[in-house]
Every structure is written in structure tokens, then in C-alpha cells.
């Protein structure tokens, strides 16, 4: 692999577009994940009674159960959202960049 | 206020009591010989040895040996990562925590899971695009090979050693408990089997052992959860109401409880757990077994799904044990305690819902789980010696493949002998701190160097080397001076470092050290290394020139 290809990719506008789009997306999703988790932790710290509150008077299920399970599910959904866009849109863009550079 | 927040923040990531469960410590009673379990375990060993034989026929090159030739699919690798991550002790430990404290068990498992999306978003694809066999390939990509590979290999070996000791001792005790086999027999058996898998089957056999184990564990746990739900007519409300009725803590099991006595220790261990996962050599190595970044991303998606599903199952299993095990006098001793301790809650539940054959199945799965984890660890340790130390440092990248693999195999045998020896030596020692220490070192040495090598342009060899060693040494030193080793093991009156776990401070030391010694590095070599960041950046983003990506 010669250096000029790397240099031309580095200067290509598509590459800059890919990097900025993908990095922003990754940081946003990271922030959402950490935010959800931090929110959950704050609830445990300052409102454990909220998590221990029953979802309806005649049920023994507390709010903590759907919220906790929801957090597990959201970790999976967030990875799914990232993989979908990265393996689709971003990989297409990536292919175009490599094709352009090798011409 | 802040103290309380810190305490709960940390508690959200782990609970010290359960952390200990990951090493399965404490006295266990030897159980009567369990024939059904042994037969099923023999079947598992037979099948995995056949796979090892098949894999040995296909292993021709170093790439085959270290990374299964990059031919593992994202789905398979996701299962294998899950197999690497779901240890026997966490299966038994988390269901035991749910059994004793209810909701706290769920909080604990969530802490284990949230690190995975972050690994995907920030690390996985760059790691795959830059590396070949070990994470040191990435860390040393544009830096001094000798210095950084020595550092990374040392970090890997120390992590592998502590992790192996914890697993070996846990394995011996668990097998004593489940199969009625002698402790020494169990440790030697585990050592020999892991050695066979790695020696002859390399990464391909290790991967399949992990996949099979993950499938067995997930199906066994699914069956148990299903039977529990059937017992309550698939009504979650009934499951929880009945549990509240019979549990001594009553309604408290449905909300957060649990107190952390020392928030800084707790917070420190929380950091170690989150970022340590991203610095464990055997986990990072799994990303090189797939063909490209696309498959690497899929691996994390599937792994997160399987691990999350598994934690939801253990939650149901824990509640099922409250209903079906705690109310059954057959599972209790004269004093009313669970036979074999609380860690046996899930095992007794297997007996309660599936009879002795299913009990045997779950016991065999627990054994298989240990084998899969130690095989992955051994392979990572052997690769650090052969690929990083031998081929890159001693032979300066000019070793031939045959010699490199031979060194790897010799190391595997040495590691197996060492693991058996240490397993026997530490039989009655308090080893609960070792997994925590392994994670702390991974978070303070491997993780900072790896992360900054991919993200920070100004990183230089000098900075990475000094900062990395400072992280490694401070993690070990603070651990020795802390309450666990200084007071409990060495018998001094007062700890010099007052907190249980070092990561909070040793990570700061590592990052500050790397930063300071990089920005003050004015050498010519440092300028060259900074200039190399951009080609590395292009490759990390596009996969241009990545190993394995051009083969199809």
C-alpha cells in the first residue's frame, strides 16, 4: 500500500464526511447509553422509592422491573441502531471512498 | 449527598459481595459423586475433543492458529464472546444475588452490560481495522515495537495470570461441589483439557468450545426460566407476589436495597469493571477472528443480545429459586441454610424443575463454562509471548511462522503447568480480590494505551511506555498496600492505601503519565510517530490495508 493513497483519502471530502458523520453518531449513541444508565443510577440514589413503587395498586410488579429490563433492552437496541447505519450507509460511503482512491 | 451518589453509582456497576462470587470463594462441602453429571460432561469433552481434532487439521498458518484465519462469522463470534463473558461463577453468583436480595441482582447485571455498547461505538471497528492477532498490534501500530509490545505483553500476562488463578480455584471448588470429585483431580483435569484445546486446536477450537458452551448455557437457562414461568402460569405478577410472600425480606426484594460501606472503593471497582472489559486481552483477541469491521460490529450486536437475554433469564431463575428452592426442605441442611451455600440456588432449581438428569446437565454446563473461559485466557497469554515478545521483540519481526507457533505451543504447556500449580497453591487462599485486580490492571495499563493510540495524535512511545508502566505498577502496588492484601493476608494492623480497589487512582496516574510524557517528548522519533497518525487514522476508519479484509 503506498502512501499517496492514504494521503488522497485523507484529503478527500467524502472521507471527511464519513469521519464526521460516524464519529458524531457514535458519540451521540454513547452519550445516550451513559445518560440512560446515569439516570437509572440517580434514581437508585435519590428515588429508590420510585423504583419500588407498584405500577398499579393491585399488582406486585414495581416500576424498577420494567425500567431495569428496559435498560438491558435499550443497550441491545442502541447497538442495533449503530450496526444498521454503520453496516449500511457508512460502509457504502466507505466503499465509494476506497474506489475513488484506487482509480 | 455526594457520598451517597458515589456509593450508589458504584453499586450500580457491581456489588462487592457478588464480585467475590465471580471467584467462588469460601469453604465448600464435597458432594456425593454425581453420575448423570459426569456422563454428560464426558459427552461434552468427547465432542469438543473431536472438534479440536478437526480444527487441528485445518490449522496451517499462524493466522489460522491465532485468529481462526479470520473466518468466524459475526454471529458465531457474538456467541463466542458471550461464551467468554458469561462465566460459571457469574451465572451462579447473579442468580444467588437475586435469590438473596431480589432487585439488586438486576442492578448488578445491568452494570455488566452497559460497557458493551460503548466498546462497539468507540473501539471495535478501529481495533479490527488496525490489528492482526493481538491488541498489542494496535497499541504499537505507529510506536516503538520493542517498548510497547513488551508493555502490552506484560500487561496481558499479568491479567491472564490473576484471572487464571481465580478461574482455576473456582473450578476446583465448583467441581468438588457439583461432581463430588477431589479438588486436585478437578484442577489437573481443567489444566490438561484447556491445554489440549489450545495446543492442537488453536483459536478455531477455542472459539467452537465457547460457542457450544454458550448454546448449552443459554438453552439450559432458558429451560429453567420457562419451567419457572410455567409454574406461575406465565404470569409475572404471580411470580413476584408469591416470591414476596415466601421471602424473609418481603416487599423489599422488589426495590433497590444493598448498601456500600466505602464509596471510593466501590466507585473504583466500578471503573475497573467498565473499562477493564475493554482491556482484557482474551476479549480483545476475539475481534481479530472475523473478516472485517462489518462482522466485528455484528459480533458486538449479537453478544450484547445474548448477554442481555442471559441476565434477564438469571433474574427469572433467581425468583424461581425463591419460589421453588427456598420453600423445599430437601435443599436445606439442618440449620435451614441452602445445601452448598447460596451460590447453589440455580443448581438446586435445576433439580427442582428438571429432576436429577437436568441437574446433571446444568452441572456439566457449569464445568464446560469454566473450560471455555480458561482456554480463551491461555490462548491470549500464549499469543502475547509468541507474537509480541518472541516474534516482534526478540526476533524483531523476522521470526518464521513455524518457530512462532512452536513458541506459542511451548508457552501454552508452561501456562497450563503454571495454572495447575497455582490452582493447587491457592486452594485455601482468599482469591476473591484477583478478578478485581485483573480488571483493575486491564483498565489501568492495557486500556489507556490502546484507547489513546487510536484516538490521540500526540501520543508518543515515551508517553505510552512510561504512563502504561505507571498504571500497571500503581495498580499492583496500591492493591498490595490496600486492606485485602496488606491487612488480611500479610497481617498488618492498618492498610497504607485505605481502599479496596486501585483503578480510580491508577487509571488517573496512567492517563496523566501518558499525557505528560507524550507532550514533553521533543525527540525526532516522537515527531515521526505523530506524523504516522494520519495513515493510521485512514486505515482505522476505512479498513484500507487491514489484514484479512482483502482475502475475498
Amino acid at each position: 500500500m503506498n502512501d499517496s493513497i492514504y494521503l488522497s483519502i485523507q484529503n478527500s471530502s467524502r472521507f471527511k464526511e464519513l469521519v464526521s458523520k460516524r464519529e458524531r453518531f457514535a458519540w451521540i449513541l454513547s452519550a445516550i447509553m451513559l445518560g440512560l444508565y446515569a439516570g437509572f443510577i440517580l434514581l437508585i440514589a435519590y428515588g429508590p422509592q420510585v423504583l419500588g413503587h407498584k405500577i398499579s395498586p393491585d399488582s406486585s410488579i414495581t416500576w424498577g422491573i420494567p425500567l431495569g429490563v428496559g435498560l438491558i433492552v435499550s443497550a441491545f437496541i442502541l447497538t442495533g441502531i449503530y450496526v444498521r447505519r454503520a453496516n449500511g450507509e457508512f460502509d457504502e460511503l466507505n466503499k465509494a471512498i476506497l474506489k475513488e482512491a484506487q482509480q | 449527598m455526594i457520598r451517597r451518589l458515589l456509593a450508589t453509582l458504584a453499586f450500580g456497576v457491581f456489588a462487592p459481595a457478588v464480585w467475590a462470587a465471580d471467584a467462588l470463594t469460601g469453604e465448600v462441602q464435597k458432594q456425593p459423586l454425581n453420575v448423570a453429571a459426569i456422563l454428560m460432561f464426558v459427552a461434552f469433552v468427547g465432542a469438543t475433543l473431536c472438534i479440536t481434532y478437526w480444527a487441528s487439521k485445518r490449522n496451517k498458518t499462524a493466522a489460522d492458529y491465532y485468529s481462526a484465519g479470520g473466518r468466524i462469522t459475526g454471529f458465531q463470534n457474538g456467541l463466542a464472546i458471550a461464551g467468554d463473558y458469561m462465566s460459571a461463577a457469574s451465572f451462579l453468583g447473579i442468580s444467588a444475588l437475586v435469590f438473596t436480595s431480589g432487585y439488586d441482582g438486576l442492578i448488578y447485571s445491568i452494570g455488566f452490560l452497559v460497557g458493551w455498547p460503548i466498546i462497539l461505538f468507540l473501539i471495535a471497528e478501529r481495533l479490527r481495522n488496525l490489528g492482526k492477532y493481538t491488541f498489542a498490534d494496535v497499541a504499537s501500530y505507529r510506536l516503538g515495537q520493542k517498548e510497547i509490545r513488551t508493555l502490552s505483553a506484560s500487561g496481558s500476562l499479568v491479567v491472564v495470570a490473576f484471572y487464571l488463578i481465580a478461574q482455576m480455584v473456582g473450578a476446583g471448588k465448583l467441581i468438588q461441589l457439583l461432581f463430588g470429585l477431589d479438588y486436585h483431580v478437578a484442577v489437573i483435569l481443567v489444566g490438561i483439557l484447556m491445554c489440549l484445546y489450545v495446543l492442537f486446536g488453536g483459536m478455531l477450537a477455542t472459539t467452537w468450545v465457547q460457542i457450544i458452551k454458550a448454546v448449552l448455557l443459554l438453552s439450559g437457562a432458558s429451560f429453567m426460566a420457562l419451567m419457572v414461568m410455567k409454574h406461575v402460569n406465565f404470569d409475572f405478577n404471580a411470580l413476584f407476589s408469591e416470591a414476596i410472600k415466601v421471602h424473609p425480606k418481603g416487599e423489599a426484594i422488589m426495590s433497590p436495597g444493598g448498601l456500600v460501606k466505602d464509596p471510593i472503593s466501590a466507585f473504583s471497582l466500578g471503573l475497573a469493571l467498565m473499562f477493564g472489559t475493554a482491556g482484557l486481552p482474551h476479549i480483545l483477541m476475539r475481534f481479530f477472528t472475523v473478516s472485517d469491521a462489518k462482522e466485528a460490529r455484528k459480533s458486538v450486536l449479537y453478544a450484547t443480545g445474548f448477554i442481555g437475554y442471559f441476565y434477564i433469564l438469571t433474574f427469572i431463575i433467581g425468583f424461581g429459586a425463591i419460589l421453588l428452592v427456598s420453600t423445599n426442605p430437601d435443599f436445606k441442611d439442618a440449620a435451614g441454610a441452602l445445601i452448598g451455600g447460596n451460590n447453589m440456588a440455580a443448581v438446586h432449581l435445576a433439580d427442582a424443575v428438571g429432576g436429577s438428569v437436568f441437574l446433571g446437565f446444568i452441572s456439566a454446563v457449569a464445568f464446560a463454562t469454566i473450560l471455555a473461559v480458561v482456554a480463551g485466557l491461555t490462548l491470549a497469554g500464549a499469543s502475547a509471548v509468541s507474537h509480541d515478545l518472541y516474534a516482534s521483540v526478540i526476533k524483531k519481526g523476522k521470526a518464521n511462522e513455524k518457530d512462532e507457533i512452536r513458541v506459542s505451543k511451548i508457552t501454552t504447556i508452561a501456562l497450563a503447568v503454571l495454572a495447575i500449580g497455582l490452582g493447587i497453591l491457592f486452594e485455601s487462599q482468599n482469591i476473591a480480590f484477583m478478578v478485581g485486580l485483573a480488571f483493575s490492571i486491564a483498565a489501568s495499563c492495557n486500556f489507556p494505551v490502546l484507547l489513546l493510540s487510536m484516538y490521540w495524535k500526540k501520543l508518543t512511545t515515551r508517553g505510552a511506555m512510561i504512563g502504561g508502566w505507571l498504571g500497571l505498577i500503581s495498580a499492583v502496588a496500591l492493591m498490595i498496600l490496600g486492606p485485602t492484601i496488606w491487612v488480611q493476608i500479610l497481617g498488618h494492623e492498618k492498610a497504607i492505601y485505605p481502599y479496596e480497589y486501585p483503578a480510580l487512582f491508577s487509571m488517573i496516574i496512567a492517563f496523566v503519565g501518558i499525557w505528560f510524557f507524550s507532550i514533553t517528548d521533543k525527540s525526532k522519533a516522537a515527531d515521526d510517530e505523530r506524523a504516522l497518525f494520519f495513515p493510521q487514522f485512514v486505515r482505522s476508519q476505512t479498513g484500507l490495508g487491514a489484514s484479512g479484509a482483502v482475502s475475498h
Side-chain angles (χ1 to χ4, degrees):
Chain A
M1 220 41 83
N2 66 50
D3 289 348
S4 66
I5 290 186
Y6 286 97
L7 204 64
S8 75
I9 290 179
Q10 192 189 317
N11 294 325
S12 94
S13 60
R14 275 184 172 156
F15 178 70
K16 284 175 185 146
E17 181 194 343
L18 171 71
V19 169
S20 71
K21 267 190 184 169
R22 187 158 64 192
E23 301 225 312
R24 210 180 60 200
F25 194 51
W27 286 109
I28 289 174
L29 290 178
S30 301
I32 294 175
M33 186 72 249
L34 291 173
L36 286 175
Y37 184 56
F40 182 66
I41 298 303
L42 286 171
L43 258 186
I44 298 168
Y46 298 112
Q49 67 283 1
V50 176
L51 292 171
H53 195 78
K54 289 182 173 134
I55 51 174
S56 72
D58 54 346
S59 167
S60 50
I61 300 175
T62 52
W63 277 106
I65 306 286
L67 286 176
V69 172
L71 205 55
I72 292 180
V73 174
S74 63
F76 179 65
I77 291 175
L78 287 175
T79 53
I81 291 173
Y82 182 79
V83 170
R84 199 187 147 84
R85 192 162 172 210
N87 282 3
E89 182 192 334
F90 295 154
D91 269 2
E92 287 303 314
L93 198 55
N94 197 10
K95 256 187 221 156
I97 293 167
L98 292 177
K99 208 174 158 198
E100 187 184 74
Q102 270 150 358
Q103 269 166 6
Chain B
M1 202 68 165
I2 293 293
R3 267 181 84 86
R4 177 155 186 193
L5 176 64
L6 273 179
T8 23
L9 190 69
F11 183 77
V13 188
F14 64 88
V18 195
W19 187 261
D22 202 38
L24 218 76
T25 52
E27 282 298 302
V28 295
Q29 304 145 279
K30 195 167 151 182
Q31 300 296 301
L33 212 61
N34 182 338
V35 179
I38 292 178
L39 283 179
M40 272 181 259
F41 178 68
V42 168
F44 171 82
V45 170
T48 48
L49 287 178
C50 288
I51 287 174
T52 307
Y53 178 75
W54 163 80
S56 71
K57 296 277 159 208
R58 295 183 45 149
N59 278 347
K60 291 191 178 71
T61 62
D64 292 333
Y65 183 78
Y66 288 122
S67 62
R71 285 189 299 266
I72 305 291
T73 66
F75 178 75
Q76 291 166 342
N77 196 36
L79 263 176
I81 290 175
D84 233 350
Y85 205 61
M86 305 179 296
S87 70
S90 78
F91 170 54
L92 301 177
I94 292 176
S95 50
L97 182 65
V98 176
F99 177 71
T100 52
S101 326
Y103 191 71
D104 285 352
L106 186 63
I107 300 176
Y108 178 58
S109 44
I110 288 170
F112 263 109
L113 195 70
V114 290
W116 280 103
I118 307 296
I119 288 181
L120 168 70
F121 303 149
L122 304 181
I123 291 182
E125 63 197 31
R126 294 182 185 220
L127 188 74
R128 178 61 194 89
N129 283 340
L130 291 173
K132 204 170 161 200
Y133 305 143
T134 64
F135 84 90
D137 291 337
V138 182
S140 68
Y141 190 83
R142 68 191 154 96
L143 305 179
Q145 294 292 312
K146 196 176 108 205
E147 295 87 348
I148 303 304
R149 288 207 190 250
T150 309
L151 168 72
S152 301
S154 308
S156 300
L157 284 172
V158 177
V159 170
V160 165
F162 285 118
Y163 218 113
L164 258 183
I165 295 175
Q167 291 292 325
M168 290 305 269
V169 175
K173 294 201 168 153
L174 190 68
I175 290 161
Q176 214 174 346
L177 200 60
L178 297 178
F179 293 80
L181 281 178
D182 184 64
Y183 178 89
H184 296 100
V185 175
V187 167
I188 293 170
L189 197 62
V190 170
I192 292 175
L193 283 171
M194 76 174 194
C195 190
L196 289 177
Y197 294 146
V198 176
L199 206 53
F200 297 107
M203 181 52 102
L204 189 57
T206 304
T207 303
W208 279 101
V209 170
Q210 283 163 347
I211 292 174
I212 294 173
K213 165 256 166 128
V215 171
L216 290 176
L217 185 58
L218 286 169
S219 8
S222 298
F223 176 74
M224 281 165 79
L226 190 72
M227 293 308 279
V228 168
M229 291 316 290
K230 199 175 147 226
H231 178 79
V232 293
N233 290 318
F234 298 94
D235 178 3
F236 277 103
N237 195 20
L239 174 71
F240 297 129
S241 342
E242 280 194 45
I244 292 169
K245 259 183 242 156
V246 299
H247 200 283
K249 289 182 185 160
E251 293 216 336
I253 57 170
M254 295 303 291
S255 51
L259 282 168
V260 178
K261 35 175 197 190
D262 171 8
I264 293 188
S265 296
F267 190 56
S268 198
L269 186 52
L271 278 176
L273 186 55
M274 279 186 90
F275 297 112
T277 308
L280 292 176
H282 63 295
I283 294 281
L284 294 173
M285 205 176 167
R286 291 234 53 88
F287 287 101
F288 305 120
T289 63
V290 293
S291 58
D292 51 26
K294 193 183 210 120
E295 296 299 313
R297 291 182 204 114
K298 281 193 207 161
S299 312
V300 188
L301 174 65
Y302 290 119
T304 311
F306 288 127
I307 297 168
Y309 171 66
F310 174 72
Y311 286 145
I312 293 173
L313 292 180
T314 52
F315 189 61
I316 298 174
I317 289 170
F319 270 92
I322 297 175
L323 254 59
L324 299 166
V325 174
S326 75
T327 54
N328 188 337
D330 289 352
F331 300 124
K332 295 188 170 179
D333 59 18
L338 219 52
I339 296 172
N342 281 334
N343 276 333
M344 292 294 281
V347 176
H348 290 314
L349 182 68
D351 195 2
V353 301
S356 67
V357 174
F358 188 66
L359 170 69
F361 175 76
I362 286 294
S363 305
V365 168
F367 198 167
T369 289
I370 291 172
L371 278 179
V373 175
V374 292
L377 283 168
T378 307
L379 184 59
S383 313
V385 171
S386 60
H387 183 62
D388 297 328
L389 289 182
Y390 173 77
S392 304
V393 176
I394 299 175
K395 291 282 173 181
K396 303 198 166 44
K398 294 192 182 73
N400 74 47
E401 271 193 8
K402 272 213 177 93
D403 288 340
E404 190 178 327
I405 293 179
R406 202 173 60 229
V407 171
S408 183
K409 294 192 167 178
I410 296 169
T411 314
T412 303
I413 296 172
L415 279 173
V417 172
L418 190 74
I420 293 172
L422 291 173
I424 290 170
L425 193 68
F426 281 88
E427 178 181 354
S428 46
Q429 298 292 319
N430 174 7
I431 47 107
F433 68 93
M434 282 190 185
V435 175
L437 181 58
F439 271 79
S440 302
I441 294 170
S444 319
C445 172
N446 302 353
F447 172 73
V449 174
L450 178 66
L451 186 81
L452 293 179
S453 73
M454 295 191 295
Y455 278 88
W456 192 42
K457 192 184 96 177
K458 292 181 182 159
L459 178 74
T460 71
T461 302
R462 190 179 85 165
M465 191 184 69
I466 299 177
W469 280 110
L470 283 176
L472 176 65
I473 294 166
S474 60
V476 175
L478 291 178
M479 195 73 204
I480 292 174
L481 298 176
T484 321
I485 297 183
W486 196 253
V487 179
Q488 286 175 27
I489 294 176
L490 298 177
H492 291 85
E493 199 147 294
K494 204 166 171 291
I496 296 172
Y497 169 76
Y499 310 109
E500 295 269 344
Y501 292 96
L504 178 59
F505 300 96
S506 56
M507 277 180 80
I508 293 174
I509 291 173
F511 275 106
V512 171
I514 294 173
W515 168 78
F516 180 77
F517 289 102
S518 291
I519 56 155
T520 54
D521 191 349
K522 305 282 183 218
S523 64
K524 167 88 174 56
D527 289 335
D528 293 344
E529 284 160 9
R530 292 184 190 112
L532 282 170
F533 180 77
F534 284 106
Q536 177 197 338
F537 183 70
V538 169
R539 173 164 161 179
S540 78
Q541 292 286 348
T542 61
L544 182 66
S547 70
V550 276
S551 61
H552 53 92

